[in-house]
Coordinates of all heavy atoms in Angstrom, one line a residue:
Q1488 N -81.3 17.3 11.0 CA -81.0 16.4 12.1 C -80.5 15.0 11.7 O -80.1 14.2 12.5 CB -82.3 16.2 13.0 CG -82.9 17.5 13.5 CD -81.9 18.3 14.3 OE1 -81.2 17.8 15.2 NE2 -81.8 19.6 13.9
A1489 N -80.5 14.7 10.4 CA -80.2 13.4 9.9 C -78.7 13.2 10.0 O -77.9 14.1 10.0 CB -80.6 13.3 8.4
P1490 N -78.3 11.9 10.2 CA -76.8 11.6 10.3 C -76.1 11.9 9.0 O -76.6 11.6 7.9 CB -76.8 10.1 10.6 CG -78.1 9.6 10.1 CD -79.1 10.7 10.3
I1491 N -74.8 12.3 9.2 CA -74.1 12.7 8.0 C -73.0 11.7 7.6 O -72.5 11.7 6.5 CB -73.5 14.1 8.1 CG1 -72.4 14.1 9.2 CG2 -74.5 15.1 8.4 CD1 -71.6 15.4 9.3
A1492 N -72.6 10.8 8.5 CA -71.5 9.9 8.2 C -71.9 9.0 7.1 O -72.9 8.3 7.1 CB -71.2 9.1 9.5
G1493 N -71.0 9.0 6.1 CA -71.2 8.1 4.9 C -72.4 8.5 4.0 O -72.8 7.7 3.1
A1494 N -72.8 9.7 4.1 CA -73.9 10.2 3.2 C -73.5 10.2 1.8 O -72.4 10.6 1.5 CB -74.4 11.6 3.7
P1495 N -74.3 9.7 0.9 CA -74.0 9.6 -0.5 C -74.1 10.9 -1.3 O -74.9 11.0 -2.3 CB -74.9 8.5 -1.0 CG -76.2 8.8 -0.3 CD -75.7 9.2 1.1
C1496 N -73.4 11.9 -1.0 CA -73.6 13.2 -1.6 C -72.3 14.0 -1.6 O -71.5 13.8 -0.7 CB -74.8 14.0 -1.1 SG -74.8 14.1 0.7
P1497 N -72.1 15.0 -2.4 CA -70.9 15.8 -2.4 C -70.9 16.8 -1.4 O -71.9 17.1 -0.8 CB -70.9 16.4 -3.8 CG -72.4 16.6 -4.1 CD -73.0 15.3 -3.5
T1498 N -69.7 17.3 -1.1 CA -69.6 18.5 -0.2 C -70.0 19.7 -0.9 O -70.0 19.8 -2.2 CB -68.2 18.6 0.3 OG1 -67.3 18.9 -0.8 CG2 -67.7 17.4 1.0
V1499 N -70.3 20.8 -0.2 CA -70.7 22.1 -0.7 C -69.5 22.6 -1.5 O -69.7 23.1 -2.6 CB -71.0 23.0 0.4 CG1 -70.9 24.5 0.0 CG2 -72.4 22.7 0.9
A1500 N -68.3 22.4 -1.0 CA -67.1 22.9 -1.8 C -67.0 22.2 -3.1 O -66.7 22.8 -4.1 CB -65.8 22.6 -0.9
R1501 N -67.2 20.9 -3.2 CA -67.2 20.2 -4.5 C -68.2 20.7 -5.5 O -67.9 20.8 -6.7 CB -67.4 18.7 -4.2 CG -67.3 17.8 -5.5 CD -67.5 16.4 -5.1 NE -67.9 15.6 -6.3 CZ -68.3 14.4 -6.2 NH1 -68.4 13.8 -5.1 NH2 -68.7 13.7 -7.3
L1502 N -69.4 21.1 -5.0 CA -70.4 21.6 -5.9 C -70.0 22.9 -6.6 O -70.4 23.2 -7.7 CB -71.7 21.8 -5.1 CG -72.4 20.5 -4.7 CD1 -73.7 20.9 -3.8 CD2 -72.9 19.7 -5.9
G1503 N -69.0 23.6 -5.9 CA -68.5 24.8 -6.5 C -67.7 24.6 -7.7 O -67.2 25.6 -8.3
A1504 N -67.4 23.4 -8.1 CA -66.5 23.1 -9.3 C -67.1 23.7 -10.6 O -66.4 23.8 -11.6 CB -66.3 21.6 -9.4
G1505 N -68.4 23.9 -10.5 CA -69.1 24.5 -11.7 C -68.5 25.8 -12.2 O -68.5 26.1 -13.4
F1506 N -67.9 26.6 -11.2 CA -67.4 27.8 -11.6 C -66.1 27.7 -12.5 O -65.9 28.5 -13.4 CB -67.0 28.6 -10.3 CG -68.1 29.2 -9.6 CD1 -68.5 28.6 -8.4 CD2 -68.9 30.2 -10.1 CE1 -69.6 29.1 -7.7 CE2 -70.0 30.7 -9.4 CZ -70.3 30.2 -8.2
A1507 N -65.4 26.6 -12.3 CA -64.2 26.3 -13.1 C -64.7 25.7 -14.5 O -64.1 26.1 -15.5 CB -63.3 25.4 -12.4
R1508 N -65.7 24.8 -14.4 CA -66.1 24.2 -15.7 C -66.7 25.2 -16.7 O -66.5 25.0 -17.9 CB -67.2 23.1 -15.3 CG -66.7 21.9 -14.6 CD -67.8 20.8 -14.7 NE -69.1 21.3 -14.3 CZ -69.6 21.2 -13.0 NH1 -68.8 20.6 -12.1 NH2 -70.8 21.6 -12.7
I1509 N -67.4 26.2 -16.2 CA -68.1 27.1 -17.1 C -67.1 27.9 -17.9 O -67.4 28.3 -19.1 CB -69.1 28.0 -16.4 CG1 -70.0 28.7 -17.3 CG2 -68.3 29.1 -15.6 CD1 -71.0 27.8 -18.0
R1510 N -65.9 28.1 -17.4 CA -64.9 28.8 -18.2 C -64.5 28.1 -19.4 O -63.9 28.7 -20.3 CB -63.7 29.2 -17.3 CG -64.1 30.0 -16.1 CD -63.0 30.3 -15.2 NE -63.4 31.0 -13.9 CZ -63.7 32.2 -13.8 NH1 -63.7 33.0 -14.8 NH2 -64.1 32.7 -12.6
R1511 N -64.8 26.8 -19.5 CA -64.4 26.0 -20.7 C -65.6 25.7 -21.6 O -65.5 25.1 -22.6 CB -63.8 24.7 -20.3 CG -62.5 24.9 -19.5 CD -61.8 23.6 -19.2 NE -62.7 22.6 -18.5 CZ -62.7 22.6 -17.1 NH1 -62.0 23.4 -16.4 NH2 -63.5 21.7 -16.5
H1512 N -66.8 26.2 -21.1 CA -68.1 25.9 -21.8 C -68.3 26.8 -23.0 O -67.9 28.0 -23.0 CB -69.2 26.1 -20.9 CG -70.5 25.4 -21.3 ND1 -71.3 25.9 -22.3 CD2 -71.1 24.2 -21.0 CE1 -72.4 25.1 -22.5 NE2 -72.2 24.1 -21.7
P1513 N -68.8 26.3 -24.2 CA -69.0 27.1 -25.3 C -69.9 28.3 -25.1 O -69.8 29.3 -25.8 CB -69.6 26.2 -26.3 CG -69.2 24.8 -25.9 CD -69.1 24.9 -24.4
R1514 N -70.8 28.2 -24.1 CA -71.8 29.3 -23.8 C -71.4 30.1 -22.6 O -72.2 30.8 -22.0 CB -73.2 28.7 -23.6 CG -73.9 28.2 -24.8 CD -75.4 28.1 -24.6 NE -75.9 29.4 -24.3 CZ -77.1 29.6 -23.7 NH1 -77.8 28.6 -23.3 NH2 -77.5 30.9 -23.4
R1515 N -70.1 30.1 -22.3 CA -69.6 30.9 -21.1 C -69.9 32.4 -21.3 O -70.1 33.1 -20.3 CB -68.1 30.7 -20.9 CG -67.3 31.1 -22.1 CD -65.8 30.7 -21.8 NE -64.9 31.0 -22.9 CZ -64.7 30.3 -24.0 NH1 -65.4 29.1 -24.1 NH2 -63.9 30.6 -24.9
A1516 N -70.0 32.9 -22.5 CA -70.3 34.3 -22.7 C -71.7 34.7 -22.3 O -71.9 35.9 -22.2 CB -70.1 34.7 -24.2
A1517 N -72.5 33.8 -22.0 CA -73.9 34.1 -21.5 C -73.8 34.7 -20.1 O -74.8 35.3 -19.6 CB -74.8 32.9 -21.5
L1518 N -72.7 34.5 -19.4 CA -72.6 35.1 -18.0 C -71.5 36.2 -18.0 O -70.4 36.0 -18.5 CB -72.1 34.0 -17.1 CG -73.1 32.8 -16.9 CD1 -72.6 31.8 -15.9 CD2 -74.5 33.4 -16.4
P1519 N -71.8 37.3 -17.5 CA -70.8 38.4 -17.5 C -69.6 38.0 -16.7 O -69.7 37.5 -15.6 CB -71.5 39.5 -16.7 CG -73.0 39.2 -16.9 CD -73.1 37.7 -16.9
P1520 N -68.4 38.2 -17.2 CA -67.1 37.7 -16.6 C -67.0 38.3 -15.2 O -66.6 37.6 -14.2 CB -66.0 38.2 -17.5 CG -66.7 38.3 -18.8 CD -68.1 38.7 -18.6
A1521 N -67.3 39.5 -15.0 CA -67.1 40.1 -13.7 C -68.1 39.5 -12.6 O -67.7 39.3 -11.5 CB -67.4 41.6 -13.7
T1522 N -69.3 39.2 -13.1 CA -70.3 38.5 -12.2 C -69.8 37.1 -11.8 O -69.8 36.7 -10.7 CB -71.6 38.4 -12.8 OG1 -72.1 39.8 -13.1 CG2 -72.6 37.7 -12.0
L1523 N -69.3 36.4 -12.8 CA -68.8 35.1 -12.6 C -67.6 35.1 -11.6 O -67.5 34.3 -10.7 CB -68.3 34.5 -14.0 CG -67.9 33.0 -14.0 CD1 -69.0 32.1 -13.4 CD2 -67.5 32.6 -15.4
D1524 N -66.7 36.0 -11.8 CA -65.5 36.1 -11.0 C -65.9 36.4 -9.5 O -65.4 35.8 -8.6 CB -64.5 37.2 -11.5 CG -63.8 36.8 -12.8 OD1 -63.8 35.6 -13.1 OD2 -63.3 37.7 -13.4
R1525 N -66.8 37.3 -9.4 CA -67.2 37.7 -8.0 C -67.9 36.6 -7.3 O -67.6 36.3 -6.1 CB -68.2 38.9 -8.1 CG -68.6 39.4 -6.7 CD -69.6 40.7 -6.9 NE -69.9 41.2 -5.6 CZ -70.7 42.2 -5.4 NH1 -71.3 42.8 -6.5 NH2 -71.0 42.7 -4.2
A1526 N -68.8 35.9 -8.0 CA -69.5 34.8 -7.4 C -68.6 33.6 -7.1 O -68.7 33.0 -6.0 CB -70.6 34.3 -8.4
A1527 N -67.6 33.3 -8.0 CA -66.7 32.2 -7.7 C -65.8 32.5 -6.5 O -65.6 31.6 -5.7 CB -65.8 32.0 -9.0
G1528 N -65.4 33.7 -6.4 CA -64.6 34.1 -5.2 C -65.3 34.0 -3.9 O -64.9 33.5 -2.9
L1529 N -66.6 34.5 -4.0 CA -67.4 34.5 -2.8 C -67.8 33.0 -2.4 O -67.7 32.7 -1.2 CB -68.7 35.2 -3.1 CG -69.8 35.3 -2.0 CD1 -69.2 35.9 -0.7 CD2 -71.0 36.1 -2.5
Y1530 N -68.1 32.2 -3.4 CA -68.4 30.8 -3.1 C -67.2 30.1 -2.4 O -67.3 29.4 -1.4 CB -68.8 30.1 -4.4 CG -69.5 28.7 -4.1 CD1 -70.9 28.6 -4.2 CD2 -68.8 27.6 -3.8 CE1 -71.5 27.4 -3.9 CE2 -69.4 26.4 -3.6 CZ -70.8 26.3 -3.6 OH -71.4 25.1 -3.4
R1531 N -66.0 30.3 -3.0 CA -64.8 29.7 -2.5 C -64.6 30.2 -1.0 O -64.2 29.3 -0.2 CB -63.6 30.1 -3.4 CG -62.3 29.5 -2.9 CD -61.2 30.0 -3.8 NE -61.0 31.4 -3.8 CZ -61.3 32.2 -4.8 NH1 -61.7 31.7 -5.9 NH2 -61.1 33.5 -4.7
D1532 N -64.7 31.4 -0.7 CA -64.5 31.9 0.6 C -65.5 31.4 1.6 O -65.1 31.0 2.7 CB -64.5 33.5 0.6 CG -63.3 34.1 -0.2 OD1 -62.4 33.3 -0.4 OD2 -63.4 35.3 -0.5
L1533 N -66.7 31.3 1.2 CA -67.8 30.8 2.1 C -67.5 29.3 2.4 O -67.7 28.9 3.5 CB -69.1 31.0 1.5 CG -69.7 32.5 1.5 CD1 -70.9 32.6 0.6 CD2 -70.0 32.9 2.9

């Protein structure tokens, strides 16, 4: 119920930037590529 105008926080869409960042991370192999692709597409669509 709280007011949203000027709230000091990112949008949900912006939080999804992690899917792009992880592809450049040294430990990206810790996540299965197919799982990462599926989740990234789903997050983007939602």
Side-chain angles (χ1 to χ4, degrees):
Q1488 303 306 309
I1491 66 174
C1496 51
T1498 64
V1499 161
R1501 180 180 161 193
L1502 289 175
F1506 288 107
R1508 289 195 309 268
I1509 195 63
R1510 299 181 190 279
R1511 303 186 297 272
H1512 197 281
R1514 288 201 59 203
R1515 59 186 179 277
L1518 298 177
T1522 298
L1523 185 59
D1524 290 344
R1525 183 179 184 184
L1529 178 57
Y1530 194 101
R1531 180 181 62 249
D1532 292 345
L1533 288 168

